Amino acid sequence: MSAYYHLINREWQADGSSLAHYHPTEHTQGTWNPDDQHMSSATGLLTHELSEFAVQANMRIARISLDILGQIPLDDSTITTRCIRPGRTIELIEAVLSSRGRDCIIARAWRLITQDTSSIAGLEDQQALHQPDELAEWQEMHKWPGGFIKTLRLVSEPERRPGRGMVWMTNNVEMIAGVTTSDLVHILGMVDTANGVVPRAGLGLNDSAWMFPNTDLQIHMHRLPKGRWLGIEAVQQYGIDGIGITSAVLHDVHGPFGRSEQILTIRPLPV
């Protein structure tokens, strides 16, 4: 099976942090620049590093916050993972992806203690109208360039339109060669595509002279996702001064499991 990344080696530092060296494959290639990695695959890789670091059986990741500091070169990179706020019930860990001598992404994850709250559990986000196997293939997103988008299989709710709608996606690519990809890593490794499933510009629309890259990705999860399909129920909104936001309810085949937010910088495409 093909993979997004190859692990070169891992070093453990004296302070307990992990330093992992990775080589990206062509499947990580981004959309806005052919020489960059897609934020989705990078998110999946960072999620792997965070979820495997100093695991505690009675805690789980509840939120991952990723800040994009600049372009993510399609080149070898390192990820340094450490605990910056230890605790027995609440813990904050950090993973920093660096390449070509600079930091590219800072990812931080809150781990929270788990306990039985089934007696008071309740959701307000609604179940998806259809399961992915009930929907037609959606090829429109494959108009975007880049190796990452080519790895995705997509289906869409028929009511999807620019600005609002729901798309399901999956892929058959391992995150790291030789390593079984967990459901969490597999699904979170596609969430950044929320910015492209209901675009108000691009994809052959009248406003295709505009670009709208996100500078962050925030993922909050009231439960861990299961399975291989990610459903993105997205809303994209543009302001009047060059800033927008993409918000999404995140689903797996069992129902909604969390939400994501991305802040956008809206600017003309280079001529």
Side-chain angles (χ1 to χ4, degrees), residues 80-117:
T80 303
T81 308
R82 65 191 181 107
C83 180
I84 58 177
R85 194 278 190 190
R88 290 177 293 178
T89 63
I90 299 174
E91 182 175 76
L92 183 63
I93 53 179
E94 177 185 80
V96 179
L97 186 150
S98 306
S99 183
R100 297 181 183 174
R102 65 172 182 83
D103 296 342
C104 304
I105 307 170
I106 297 176
R108 289 184 169 183
W110 282 110
R111 279 181 177 152
L112 306 182
I113 191 169
T114 58
Q115 53 192 311
D116 184 6
T117 53

Side-chain angles (χ1 to χ4, degrees), residues 193-240:
T193 58
N195 197 30
V197 300
V198 291
R200 305 189 75 89
L203 280 177
L205 302 176
N206 293 332
D207 297 325
S208 58
W210 293 90
M211 62 189 300
F212 44 95
N214 51 301
T215 62
D216 79 336
L217 173 62
Q218 313 289 326
I219 304 170
H220 293 76
M221 297 173 288
H222 54 77
R223 69 168 173 85
L224 291 179
K226 299 178 181 178
R228 312 307 277 180
W229 282 95
L230 168 66
I232 299 178
E233 184 183 357
V235 174
Q236 189 176 85
Q237 304 177 86
Y238 297 167
I240 62 173

Side-chain angles (χ1 to χ4, degrees), residues 164-262:
R164 182 182 290 272
M166 184 164 184
V167 168
W168 290 89
M169 62 185 67
T170 189
N171 67 74
N172 62 357
V173 181
E174 295 285 11
M175 188 58 60
I176 303 165
V179 178
T180 300
T181 306
S182 69
D183 289 350
L184 176 68
V185 170
H186 177 82
I187 287 179
L188 265 56
M190 298 182 287
V191 170
D192 186 71
T193 58
N195 197 30
V197 300
V198 291
R200 305 189 75 89
L203 280 177
L205 302 176
N206 293 332
D207 297 325
S208 58
W210 293 90
M211 62 189 300
F212 44 95
N214 51 301
T215 62
D216 79 336
L217 173 62
Q218 313 289 326
I219 304 170
H220 293 76
M221 297 173 288
H222 54 77
R223 69 168 173 85
L224 291 179
K226 299 178 181 178
R228 312 307 277 180
W229 282 95
L230 168 66
I232 299 178
E233 184 183 357
V235 174
Q236 189 176 85
Q237 304 177 86
Y238 297 167
I240 62 173
D241 62 351
I243 298 172
I245 186 170
T246 298
S247 309
V249 178
L250 305 176
H251 299 250
D252 61 19
V253 296
H254 305 285
F257 67 85
R259 292 181 172 230
S260 68
E261 298 282 346
Q262 296 158 291

Side-chain angles (χ1 to χ4, degrees), residues 2 11 20 27-28 40 51-52 54-55 66 68 117 133 141 179 189 195 198 202 205 212 224 235 247 256:
S2 55
E11 308 164 28
H27 298 310
T28 69
S40 284
S51 62
E52 294 295 316
V55 176
L66 304 105
I68 308 166
T117 53
D133 59 2
M141 195 170 186
V179 178
N195 197 30
V198 291
L205 302 176
F212 44 95
L224 291 179
V235 174
S247 309

